[in-house]
Amino acid sequence: MSADFDIAIIGAGAMGATTALHLARGGMRVALIDRGEICREASGVNAGTLTLHMTRAALIPYAMKGRELWLTAEQWLGRDVGARSAPGFSLAFTEAEEEMLVKRAAARSAMGAPIRLISPAEACAIDPGINPAIRAAAFCALDGHVTAYLTGRAYRQALTAAGVTMVEKIPVSAIEQQGSGYLIHGTCGTRLSAKRIVLAGGVWLESMLAMLGLRAAVKCLINQLVITERMRPVMRSVVGIANGLLSLKQFENGSVLIGGGWQGRGDPIRGGVEPIPDNLIGNIRLARHAIPALGETRVVRIWLGLESETADAMPMIGPLPGMEGAYVIGCVHSGYTSAPYMGQLLAELILGGEPEMPLFDPARLIENTASSVRTVA
Amino acid sequence: MTDETDLIVVGGGPAGVEAALAASERGLSVRLVDEAPQAGGQVYRAPPRAFGAKSQQKADRLGVALRDRLCASTVQTHFDHIVWSVSPGYRIDALGPNGAVSWRARAVIAATGAQERVVPFPGWTLPGVTGLAGATIMLKSQGMLPGGLTLVAGQGPLLLAVAMGILKAGGKLAAVVDLASQAEWLADWPAIASRPDLAWRGLSWQMALRRAGVPMLYRHAIREAEAKGDQLLVTLGPVDAGGAPIAGPEREFLVDAVTVGNGLTAATDITRLLRAGHRFEALRGGWVPERDEDFRTTLSGLYVAGDGAGIAGAAAAAIDGRLAALAVAHDLGRLSDETYQRLTMPLRRKARKAKRFGTAMAKLMALRPAQVAAIAAGTIVCRCEDVTRGEICAAVREGARGVNQVKAWTRCGMGPCQGRICGDIIGQLVTGTGNARVEAGYFTGRTPFRPLPLDELAPPIAYGDLQLPPPAPL
Ligand SMILES: Cc1cc2nc3c(=O)[nH]c(=O)nc-3n(C[C@H](O)[C@H](O)[C@H](O)COP(=O)(O)OP(=O)(O)OC[C@H]3O[C@@H](n4cnc5c(N)ncnc54)[C@H](O)[C@@H]3O)c2cc1C
Ligand SMILES: Cc1cc2nc3c(=O)[nH]c(=O)nc-3n(C[C@H](O)[C@H](O)[C@H](O)COP(=O)(O)OP(=O)(O)OC[C@H]3O[C@@H](n4cnc5c(N)ncnc54)[C@H](O)[C@@H]3O)c2cc1C
């Protein structure tokens, strides 16, 4: 029996969508399946910071490639996603933070990030919005931001043009091995078959892997973000602090986005449900300390998104152990920045090429619990 | 300060006040929170205390009586407090004159009322154009008129109420423009007549308007409004029963102000935030919380009452509030099954009667899909973000299927009002392509329920006093 598709990608976030796009352009018949609509989870609700100040040191080379791809999205994706280059800062307000800043800047520059320490006066000259009470600042010219909520629109258009079959609002409930391929079961009795599969389920990867009888722990972070109403220009850089607990930027429309990984409540089943009021107020206090003019504006919306992390906090990208033609991609720290590059790397591998940079072998994290494929209730 | 009470009621309109009173009468400890300076909600909105003057109007007398009963009760009231978050458990976060506060309660009644809906037309965002409901607030709380010569348009009972309010306050009316025909009002007459006092008031208002020589145009709607110096040139035209424009003579009026409204939608911020179940009921103002007949939502400890549970009017709201409070008392183990049945029986009877009237009113206020379908491509639908109908439909054509995806792709509903004004219209436009309204969904509920001044939410403190979580990994 011939399969409906050469490959099915399950999960239409930036990871799955990029992989699908390159596979289709590489000549494969591709289906991209999502239980919701394209890029409505982490990839559509994230802060869109392209900063190297917050990227894990080991992932810096990947993030630099990803940043470049976002900034040139019009060329390869066909549409600008509001990506803008901007100077980036990491600030220190205390002696302890300064110590951390120096250490972290050194580790990241060692991995190729052009980060250098500058004086408070120099930092305030580049961005007069910054609180002059800082003790130290690290500067990186390669920074910027993307308007994440536009991601799905750009990808959907490109995917459709590349001939990818979009299957939205169909949750995959089981995956069955069938001959040398896979039979994918969705809700309401929908089924499709594919010779190969890519699992790109973000924070839901743990339950997706379980559908193949594979076990890997995927931790779920519940990141909070705060958006203000439009205000006069109060900052022109992307601002963070040494400990990584702040990410701050002002968009062209005047609204300011406050993030930094402060946690709210939620889980993979219910989604990001609600902020923890004390965390919310802490995050906002930190933001206005960094950019004092934020005291003038109003908060219009607070939301939460789910971010995935493996046991060793490093990505899971590559072939699944013991499964013919099955791959996984996800759990990348600062994963929005690098998604356009990570997806391209995995597609290169699947298309039979040699990826430009090394992937992240999932085998180190995965335990095979069954020889036959099982389904999850 | 998080001392726990049995119940917190959010919203001090008729539903909320009656709920708070009924619960306190059963011995529950109760807090009532409202962003307004006094109890009364929209319908019994109090004039500012400084105005002082004793008013003779019935709504005002009822409002005073409501506030007096509340004062005499054991309910702890917190006015001038914006509730901006409700967390399960339950914790209520509010912003008041002294900054951020929070309280805990075993149960919550959301009695947050309704918000205005306007079907957009070219010019609806011009200065000088206000909502019908907004106009009633100005008239009641400030004694302020919308402008000099005013044109009143739209549908439902607020139309006449606003027109009459303007006339009584000494204002001048250019015309009253009703989407409904006179026959539609009469068709519901039996239900309307179930409240003889209100029916009589409605009739006497119509007569008063005619006596004052105000043109009354039925089955008409505004085609567009255009700025002419300080004034507005309004073009009106005939519509069919579905609200779609039809050929026929158009009329122009040069006026100082326009107030226009197309009914109300339920304020469901709290139930949407907490992910309670909702269902779509066009006749009750769109998406409303799923509830049982005692106003329990799908979440334990969370109740709704009044227009926030589905548009049914002030009279029904007061009874609903009492029923919800009794359900709370019962569920907290403070009322035996038997007493509960005995106390709720007469209320249910009253509720059925109030509902008949409320339903007749709601029918007159319901959105007319053909009117929405006729909105021109260039017309702004989301006024906070200036998103047009054409942009919304382009997103749908590109494959956005739900309102939340349309929002992401166009920014509609992302401004300070968070889709509270345009959400129902956007849902209808997304549906226009054939999807069922249910599939298009509703905007995900998020905090804060109102835009919050950042300075009040997080006043500056010494950096050393900030409680920081552990650093992110390197
Ligand atoms: C609030 C927040 C802020 C962030 N800020 C930044 C930042 O500033 N910079 C940065 O670089 N990174 C940031 N990140 C991280 C980044 O967003 C993620 O790493 C990245 O988007 C992950 O992409 P993904 O495709 O793996 O996952 P997702 O985008 O979550 O996609 C997974 C998809 O799988 C689908 N799916 C799940 N289960 C099923 C099923 N059973 N069947 C079918 N489909 C299914 C989901 O619906 C979803 O669409 C942030 C994350 C969050 C949550
Ligand atoms: C603007 C407006 C004007 C109206 N004018 C009239 C009229 O003139 N005549 C008439 O018959 N009907 C009018 N209605 C309809 C009328 O309000 C309802 O039929 C009836 O009052 C419903 O009672 P309720 O208690 O459910 O809601 P409401 O009376 O609307 O009371 C809800 C209360 O909750 C408060 N509230 C809501 N959210 C929060 C929050 N997050 N934090 C703190 N407080 C909150 C509001 O301030 C309000 O006081 C109007 C409705 C609106 C929206």
Side-chain angles (χ1 to χ4, degrees):
Chain A
M1 201 185 90
S2 78
D4 304 330
F5 295 94
D6 293 325
I7 192 156
I9 286 108
I10 309 172
M15 295 293 174
T18 313
T19 312
L21 183 64
H22 290 292
L23 291 174
R25 287 183 182 165
M28 285 190 164
R29 285 175 304 144
V30 182
L32 178 59
I33 312 168
D34 202 284
R35 62 169 198 166
E37 288 178 276
I38 182 169
C39 292
R40 287 275 310 132
E41 296 294 347
S43 301
V45 307
N46 71 83
T49 310
L50 297 177
T51 186
L52 301 178
H53 289 295
M54 285 181 45
T55 301
R56 299 209 63 194
L59 298 177
I60 296 262
Y62 299 84
M64 288 171 70
K65 291 276 192 183
R67 175 181 177 278
E68 205 44 49
L69 285 168
W70 280 123
L71 291 172
T72 56
E74 237 172 316
Q75 291 156 33
W76 63 272
L77 192 57
R79 196 169 184 143
D80 174 32
V81 192
R84 300 290 177 268
S85 181
F89 287 103
S90 182
L91 308 176
F93 291 103
T94 65
E95 207 180 320
E97 282 174 10
E98 186 174 353
E99 216 172 282
M100 192 186 281
L101 184 81
V102 173
K103 213 176 94 206
R104 294 187 156 201
R108 290 188 170 113
S109 0
M111 289 305 296
I115 294 176
R116 63 188 167 90
L117 297 169
I118 63 174
S119 71
E122 211 182 324
C124 293
I126 296 172
D127 192 338
I130 292 175
N131 187 346
I134 50 171
R135 283 181 61 103
F139 174 80
C140 181
L142 302 189
D143 210 312
H145 47 82
V146 180
T147 306
Y149 54 76
L150 297 174
T151 318
R153 188 171 200 174
Y155 268 99
R156 202 177 196 287
Q157 203 178 40
L159 290 160
T160 310
V164 172
T165 301
M166 298 288 307
V167 185
E168 289 173 286
K169 293 202 166 178
I170 300 282
V172 168
S173 54
I175 306 168
E176 225 181 297
Q177 225 161 359
Q178 196 189 47
S180 62
Y182 295 88
L183 188 62
I184 298 155
H185 297 261
T187 44
C188 316
T190 49
R191 290 194 282 177
L192 64 84
S193 63
K195 290 186 202 139
R196 298 195 246 186
I197 51 170
V198 177
L199 306 188
V203 86
W204 297 272
L205 271 177
E206 185 170 321
S207 56
M208 254 182 217
L209 286 163
M211 292 178 196
L212 293 174
L214 302 176
R215 193 157 68 201
V218 173
K219 193 173 151 195
C220 174
L221 306 175
I222 298 131
N223 297 344
Q224 156 197 292
L225 289 175
V226 178
I227 190 86
T228 73
E229 67 185 347
R230 297 166 187 240
M231 71 183 302
R232 68 180 176 90
V234 294
M235 61 188 298
R236 55 176 294 265
S237 59
V238 176
V239 169
I241 67 169
N243 54 25
L245 295 171
L246 182 66
S247 93
L248 201 52
K249 67 188 75 77
Q250 184 167 25
F251 294 107
E252 276 158 21
N253 66 21
S255 58
V256 175
L257 185 61
I258 305 172
W262 292 63
Q263 297 293 289
R265 287 196 193 87
D267 53 60
I269 292 163
R270 293 177 306 153
V273 184
E274 23 137 15
I276 298 172
D278 295 334
N279 283 357
L280 173 76
I281 291 170
N283 193 181
I284 294 175
R285 282 208 160 110
L286 188 56
R288 75 171 300 182
H289 190 78
I291 305 287
L294 289 182
E296 296 165 18
T297 190
R298 295 188 302 172
V299 169
V300 296
R301 191 172 179 90
I302 301 154
W303 69 94
L304 299 124
L306 306 185
E307 186 175 8
S308 53
E309 195 178 87
T310 60
D312 62 10
M314 287 298 283
M316 192 159 43
I317 306 179
L320 286 167
M323 309 242 87
E324 195 60 38
Y327 305 82
V328 64
I329 180 166
C331 300
V332 185
H333 202 87
S334 287
Y336 185 73
T337 307
S338 54
Y341 188 58
M342 297 298 194
Q344 184 184 311
L345 289 181
L346 181 61
E348 280 166 11
L349 177 83
I350 296 172
L351 290 168
E354 178 65 30
E356 192 182 47
M357 280 195 216
L359 295 176
F360 303 84
D361 190 359
R364 73 184 196 282
L365 301 158
I366 286 175
E367 198 187 315
N368 201 329
T369 57
S371 47
S372 69
V373 175
R374 297 184 321 171
T375 61
V376 178
Chain B
M1 46 187 289
T2 57
D3 48 325
E4 189 179 63
T5 52
D6 293 317
L7 172 66
I8 289 182
V9 180
V10 183
V17 171
E18 291 299 341
L21 288 171
S24 71
E25 284 158 19
R26 306 318 314 173
L28 272 64
S29 54
V30 184
R31 285 183 202 282
L32 176 72
V33 193
D34 197 303
E35 62 190 324
Q38 293 183 63
Q42 311 299 5
V43 61
Y44 305 133
R45 184 166 291 270
R49 290 192 178 90
F51 278 39
K54 278 248 153 40
S55 160
Q56 299 308 308
Q57 288 188 24
K58 191 177 169 214
D60 295 347
R61 285 199 312 275
L62 288 173
V64 171
L66 195 82
R67 289 186 277 279
D68 286 348
R69 280 161 60 224
L70 192 60
C71 275
S73 74
T74 60
V75 176
Q76 301 178 59
T77 57
H78 304 273
F79 293 105
D80 285 315
H81 278 76
I82 296 176
V83 171
W84 62 268
S85 176
V86 175
S87 330
Y90 282 90
R91 169 176 157 155
I92 309 282
D93 279 86
L95 196 59
N98 300 317
V101 285
S102 71
W103 304 284
R104 283 189 180 279
R106 299 170 66 196
V108 171
I109 297 179
T112 45
Q115 57 223 349
E116 179 128 67
R117 177 175 55 206
V118 177
V119 176
F121 53 85
W124 76 290
T125 57
L126 288 171
V129 181
T130 53
L132 279 179
T136 67
I137 295 183
M138 288 208 303
L139 282 164
K140 282 179 206 167
S141 66
Q142 319 285 339
M144 235 168 81
L145 289 166
L149 182 63
T150 304
L151 183 132
V152 180
Q155 63 190 104
L158 283 179
L159 198 60
L160 280 184
V162 169
M164 230 15 238
I166 290 172
L167 213 58
K168 278 188 191 154
K172 282 197 301 192
L173 289 169
V176 175
V177 186
D178 197 335
L179 201 59
S181 64
Q182 256 176 314
E184 283 176 68
W185 287 89
L186 291 175
D188 279 315
W189 187 250
I192 294 171
S194 67
R195 285 289 306 273
D197 49 338
L198 296 176
W200 175 247
R201 195 176 64 179
L203 273 182
S204 66
W205 282 354
Q206 292 209 25
M207 271 145 51
L209 288 165
R210 286 195 188 287
R211 267 201 310 278
V214 179
M216 311 271 284
L217 284 88
Y218 292 94
R219 279 275 164 90
H220 272 70
I222 299 179
R223 296 271 207 259
E224 69 175 305
E226 202 187 320
K228 281 269 184 271
D230 284 349
Q231 291 188 297
L232 294 162
L233 181 65
V234 187
T235 310
L236 309 173
V239 296
D240 66 16
I246 50 171
E250 296 194 340
R251 292 182 61 174
E252 287 187 343
F253 287 86
L254 190 64
V255 299
D256 299 306
V258 172
T259 87
V260 56
N262 295 91
L264 302 171
T265 59
T268 53
D269 303 82
I270 294 176
T271 47
R272 278 186 296 129
L273 173 76
L274 295 173
R275 314 271 169 108
H278 289 76
R279 64 165 157 254
F280 185 75
E281 286 188 45
L283 280 183
R284 311 203 56 216
W287 284 100
V288 295
E290 251 177 72
R291 58 167 180 87
D292 70 8
E293 59 165 354
D294 296 328
F295 299 93
R296 296 176 185 93
T297 66
T298 55
L299 300 176
S300 132
L302 182 65
Y303 304 75
V304 285
D307 277 359
I311 309 300
I319 305 162
D320 294 358
R322 294 211 148 245
L323 280 167
L326 291 174
V328 173
H330 174 259
D331 297 349
L332 290 180
R334 308 284 274 280
L335 215 53
S336 68
D337 287 348
E338 210 179 320
T339 322
Y340 179 57
Q341 294 306 340
R342 182 169 53 76
L343 292 173
T344 50
M345 209 109 86
L347 283 174
R348 285 187 214 286
R349 260 198 310 276
K350 277 169 79 178
R352 273 194 293 275
K353 197 168 159 200
K355 200 176 162 195
R356 260 187 92 202
F357 177 77
T359 306
M361 291 297 140
K363 237 156 116 184
L364 289 164
M365 288 198 284
L367 193 64
R368 303 195 175 196
Q371 192 187 13
V372 178
I375 296 171
T379 304
I380 288 171
V381 173
C382 162
R383 60 184 306 164
C384 297
E385 296 290 331
D386 282 354
V387 183
T388 62
R389 188 222 167 127
E391 292 169 288
I392 290 166
C393 291
V396 173
R397 273 197 308 275
E398 273 182 48
R401 294 165 68 180
V403 294
N404 288 295
Q405 186 72 303
V406 170
K407 170 178 167 174
W409 291 6
T410 65
R411 281 193 67 80
C412 69
M414 285 205 197
C417 102
Q418 287 289 298
R420 288 179 189 97
I421 295 173
C422 60
D424 195 47
I425 304 290
I426 290 169
Q428 193 65 37
L429 286 174
V430 170
T431 310
T433 60
N435 299 352
R437 188 65 201 263
V438 174
E439 212 195 305
Y442 47 85
F443 286 143
T444 307
R446 292 290 183 191
T447 57
F449 304 142
R450 301 280 183 276
L452 286 188
L454 197 140
D455 185 53
E456 288 169 41
L457 183 64
I461 58 166
Y463 191 72
D465 293 341
L466 263 176
Q467 304 262 314
L468 296 179
L474 173 64

